[in-house]
Structures are given as C-alpha cells and as structure tokens.
Amino acid sequence: KEDLKNAFGKVWGRFLEFEITRSKLISELAGNPVSALVLQVVAYHNLTLVQANVDGDTYSEIRLKWEKNDLVGVSDLPLKLTYSSIADLTGIDKETVRRAVKKLAEQGWFKIDYQTGIHYNPNQSNQDKLVVFNEWELAQVGRLLSRLNNAQNTD
C-alpha cells in the first residue's frame, strides 16, 4: 500500500488528466455530463449481465458478447435497472434521471421496458461509437498502468 502511495504521487496528474479527458469524451458521446453518467451506469449494468452470461472472463470473450448484445434470459435475472436505482447510484435526482434516460432512449442508446427495466440497447451507430471509446479507454488505462509500474520500479 505504501509503495502504491509513493508511486501514485508520480502519476496522480496523469490519472486526473485521464479522468478529465474520459469525462469530456463520454459527455460528448452522451450529449452532456448528466447523460454521460446515466449512460455509464446502464453500460455498467449491461457489462454485469454480459459477464454473468459469458463462459470466460477475458476481454475478448466479454467484448464479443457485448458487441452481439444478445443477452438471452436477461428478463429472468433479478438485476432490474430503474430510474430509482440509477438515481441511487449516481446521486442525481430521479426526475433528472428519468428525463436523461428517455432522451438517451430516443437517441438509440436504451430500451425502456416497464416490466424488466432499462436496458442497454444501442443502435449500430451508437454501438460503434462506444466500441471506439472503449478502445481508447483500454489504451489509456494501459498507458496509465505502465507509468504507475515504471514509477514503482524507480523507487
């Protein structure tokens, strides 16, 4: 833990730069910061469902299932995503969440089903955008981890 603290001091600025850039990019993708946070929660929920329905845990196996977006039996799972659950996770007012979800659904990101909840269900254009964003994230997290590793090795 102490080694991480020492090394983190050397990369803290880069970490914040990553967070700021990532927030800006996802906000541009979703339309605004509130919608960006809502999109991330729904995408995280989808990732949880994907991981529960894939045989392995490698990035390529999860990514393949993610891109197919064919989660058979999702409605049978107890993980229902609602306006309230998104509001609880984000701290955003429930009515603001409802408006953001409805707008994102109109833009082709989500499907809203009052029986099974809110589901990540992007049109192909949005799916392609999120895949490109995810590739950027992967590369940037790799760079950040490499810098952290290098900082730890120089101590």
Side-chain angles (χ1 to χ4, degrees):
K1 184 175 177 180
E2 201 58 40
D3 288 344
L4 178 60
K5 282 184 182 178
N6 292 335
F8 191 68
K10 295 176 184 173
V11 297
W12 196 352
R14 297 287 188 175
F15 172 75
L16 291 174
E17 179 184 349
F18 165 77
E19 283 291 303
I20 292 165
T21 303
R22 184 184 182 282
S23 295
K24 179 183 177 214
L25 291 173
I26 194 77
S27 291
E28 289 171 354
L29 194 62
N32 60 61
V34 168
S35 292
L37 190 51
V38 170
L39 176 58
Q40 289 176 89
V41 168
V42 177
Y44 168 73
H45 181 259
N46 189 65
L47 178 61
T48 302
L49 297 174
V50 166
Q51 288 175 319
N53 284 282
V54 72
D55 293 329
D57 61 359
T58 67
Y59 174 72
S60 59
E61 291 166 317
I62 294 168
R63 169 84 180 267
L64 182 62
K65 188 73 168 180
W66 175 279
E67 288 182 30
K68 286 184 179 179
N69 201 30
D70 64 349
L71 302 176
V72 177
V74 162
S75 60
D76 300 332
L77 295 173
L79 301 170
K80 182 177 176 182
L81 194 59
T82 64
Y83 301 131
S84 293
S85 59
I86 295 171
D88 289 344
L89 284 167
T90 62
I92 300 170
D93 175 75
K94 184 177 162 184
E95 180 58 25
T96 303
V97 167
R98 186 192 66 76
R99 285 192 305 268
V101 167
K102 288 191 177 272
K103 185 172 184 175
L104 288 163
E106 289 168 5
Q107 294 171 350
W109 285 103
F110 306 149
K111 176 183 164 198
I112 304 169
D113 182 298
Y114 294 99
Q115 295 288 336
T116 61
I118 300 159
H119 301 279
Y120 177 76
N121 190 32
N123 59 34
Q124 191 60 52
S125 174
N126 287 340
Q127 178 74 334
D128 293 345
K129 291 174 190 174
L130 204 57
V131 166
V132 169
F133 176 74
N134 180 248
E135 289 296 318
W136 176 88
E137 285 178 307
L138 185 62
Q140 297 306 309
V141 168
R143 287 179 60 205
L144 187 62
L145 290 174
S146 177
R147 288 178 175 149
L148 184 58
N149 188 44
N150 290 340
Q152 284 180 312
N153 290 335
T154 60
D155 285 341

